Amino acid sequence: MPCICSPSEIQKSLSRWFKLNGRQLPWRETNDPYAIWLSEVILQQTRVDQGMSYYLRFLDRYPDIFALAAADEEEVLHLWQGLGYYSRGRNLLKTARRVVEQFDGCMPRDYKQICSLPGIGAYTASAILSFAYNLPHACVDGNIYRVLSRLGAIDLPIDSTEGKKIFQEEANALLDKENPGLHNQAIMELGALVCTPRMPRCTECPVISCCAAYKLGIHAELPVKRAKPEVKHRYLTFFFVRLLSSDGNCTLIHKRPGGDVWQGLYELPLVETEQAASEDELYRRVRELLPFAGNDALLTGPLFSLKHALTHQQLHILFYSLELSADQYTDDAETAFKKIRIEELDQYPFPKPINLFFESDLYFL
Ligand code: SF4
């Protein structure tokens, strides 16, 4: 269905509505490109109410890009803990260092240059350039895909190559080039507050008279996505090792390598199996993993279990405790594990499921 209204009619309605109804959010009160970039990275895959406290904490700890560039990765990941998708935290640091080294600490104003920075894709680049510098770049995020697909009754899958191209062209055509920052924010806010995925509030919508999907009665069916890829199931069993000694108890942790989830974070000794493992198998595998644990080591559990969903992966996670005398572990034992005192655990960044186990206090049982 062809466009019902002209771009300028839609722009005016959106802008009027946004000025009256837009939420007051701290990253909207500034045009500092550093703060805007920080908020955009934090808010990817994260709800506004959850992301807010991280945004404020990061700005408090690193008030400018120079302070962030000088931080070490472990400290940044520690602050990032709980947000998930840790590659975002690592890219945050890499980009801060690149901007300081190559651009004197000033976020580039050029689209190609800004897109060359780690973790900055087309959406984030357009958001920074339009919100901070008021440059005419149209954003396309999940909210905007939804609004555009409904306004124009476009049933192309939003995650297909063709769909992405067409929706970007639609967004470019609709962009208010005089006020690109305000326009981008307004259309995103419409998607967040009114044109919601389920039960859109069409009667409160400022562009209802322009909405082709509403006129056709198909707004609930849009946007369209391709069939989902298969989810991989992984079975992870972590062992909270307690090395008992008279002068305080220690445990073992391990820094995760690259090439898998949670790169650079710490974990407890882990056994991964292709399906749920029997107690006998776990017992055998943990002895292979920790050969210094003799037959008298006390294995207890499962103490805690949870399921954790990642993109295309479903993790089935169990926690056991393994008690042994500190004498059984010697620093020259051939092991990839780091021995630390139990009280020091909070000094290391762990993935969310392991933190949930620590917060459960069950590991003290
Ligand atoms: Fe979305 Fe309804 Fe507005 Fe159309 S009328 S843009 S479906 S809220």
Side-chain angles (χ1 to χ4, degrees):
M1 188 176 206
C3 244
I4 298 175
C5 305
S6 70
S8 74
E9 282 173 273
I10 297 177
Q11 289 160 10
K12 278 187 202 131
S13 304
L14 279 175
S15 150
R16 238 190 336 261
W17 172 84
F18 180 65
K19 285 176 185 161
L20 289 174
N21 298 284
R23 290 166 293 178
Q24 284 194 315
L25 299 169
W27 46 86
R28 287 187 180 155
E29 316 278 307
T30 178
N31 54 11
D32 172 5
Y34 167 67
I36 288 167
W37 162 64
L38 192 60
S39 71
E40 288 301 332
V41 177
I42 289 173
L43 291 173
Q44 288 163 17
Q45 328 263 354
T46 304
R47 294 189 322 273
V48 165
D49 55 346
Q50 191 199 3
M52 177 82 79
S53 62
Y54 283 87
Y55 171 79
L56 296 172
R57 246 179 286 151
F58 264 87
L59 263 192
D60 190 48
R61 178 84 71 90
Y62 312 116
D64 56 41
I65 201 159
F66 295 97
L68 178 57
D72 73 50
E73 185 179 281
E74 218 156 287
E75 183 186 307
V76 170
L77 292 179
H78 205 214
L79 206 59
W80 192 268
Q81 206 160 266
L83 271 176
Y85 301 95
Y86 286 86
S87 56
R88 288 186 292 158
R90 277 188 292 273
N91 283 335
L92 199 69
L93 185 56
K94 284 186 200 156
T95 287
R97 290 177 178 162
R98 285 264 299 272
V99 171
V100 166
E101 283 160 19
Q102 293 178 7
F103 302 102
D104 296 327
C106 200
M107 197 59 87
R109 300 169 71 100
D110 177 79
Y111 184 79
K112 272 196 181 147
Q113 280 182 340
I114 204 168
C115 281
S116 72
L117 296 168
I120 299 192
Y123 163 76
T124 310
S126 298
I128 298 168
L129 294 175
S130 63
F131 302 166
Y133 300 133
N134 210 32
L135 291 169
H137 291 274
C139 291
V140 184
D141 74 343
N143 282 324
I144 297 183
Y145 274 123
R146 190 165 55 255
V147 173
L148 292 179
S149 69
R150 289 172 177 172
L151 272 178
I154 304 169
D155 61 1
L156 280 172
I158 58 173
D159 51 352
S160 65
T161 309
E162 192 195 356
K164 284 179 185 161
K165 182 173 163 281
I166 298 293
F167 280 103
Q168 184 66 58
E169 286 169 8
E170 290 286 317
N172 294 347
L174 187 58
L175 184 68
D176 177 351
K177 296 185 181 58
E178 300 294 309
N179 302 292
L182 185 136
H183 171 89
N184 280 332
Q185 306 231 36
I187 189 164
M188 278 192 257
E189 194 74 334
L190 186 78
L193 301 182
V194 177
C195 194
T196 48
R198 279 182 219 99
M199 313 238 294
R201 299 189 181 91
C202 299
T203 52
E204 297 166 29
C205 179
V207 287
I208 187 170
S209 59
C210 303
C211 182
Y214 181 78
K215 286 215 163 33
L216 296 167
I218 57 167
H219 49 294
E221 291 149 39
L222 295 171
V224 171
K225 277 193 179 177
R226 290 181 307 176
K228 283 193 177 165
E230 214 176 299
V231 172
K232 182 181 175 193
H233 289 263
R234 298 175 67 180
Y235 295 82
L236 311 180
T237 304
F238 290 106
F239 295 88
F240 181 68
V241 176
R242 285 202 288 173
L243 300 168
L244 306 175
S245 87
S246 52
D247 62 344
N249 296 337
C250 289
T251 191
L252 300 178
I253 60 173
H254 169 251
K255 192 168 189 172
R256 284 184 67 85
D260 197 0
V261 295
W262 305 329
Q263 181 191 330
L265 300 185
Y266 283 83
E267 65 181 358
L268 304 175
L270 165 68
V271 166
E272 179 166 358
T273 48
E274 286 188 358
Q275 40 198 297
S278 66
E279 293 259 324
D280 284 350
E281 186 180 357
L282 286 177
Y283 216 64
R284 182 179 60 74
R285 293 280 305 273
V286 75
R287 273 172 174 68
E288 284 170 11
L289 183 70
L290 308 171
F292 49 87
N295 285 336
D296 51 347
L298 181 65
L299 185 69
T300 315
L303 300 177
F304 190 67
S305 67
L306 77 158
K307 287 186 183 166
H308 188 69
L310 299 169
T311 318
H312 313 322
Q313 291 192 37
Q314 173 77 46
L315 307 183
H316 303 260
I317 302 176
L318 294 176
F319 290 87
Y320 280 73
S321 94
L322 185 73
E323 251 178 43
L324 59 154
S325 153
D327 306 339
Q328 285 173 258
Y329 177 88
T330 54
D331 288 339
D332 61 352
E334 280 191 24
T335 170
F337 298 101
K338 184 179 171 89
K339 179 179 160 188
I340 61 162
R341 296 175 78 83
I342 288 178
E343 314 85 81
E344 294 168 346
L345 279 169
D346 63 0
Q347 295 173 18
Y348 295 85
F350 288 96
K352 191 173 178 185
I354 297 185
N355 276 317
L356 287 173
F357 168 62
F358 291 153
E359 283 160 21
S360 75
D361 285 344
L362 287 166
Y363 70 108
F364 283 119
L365 284 176

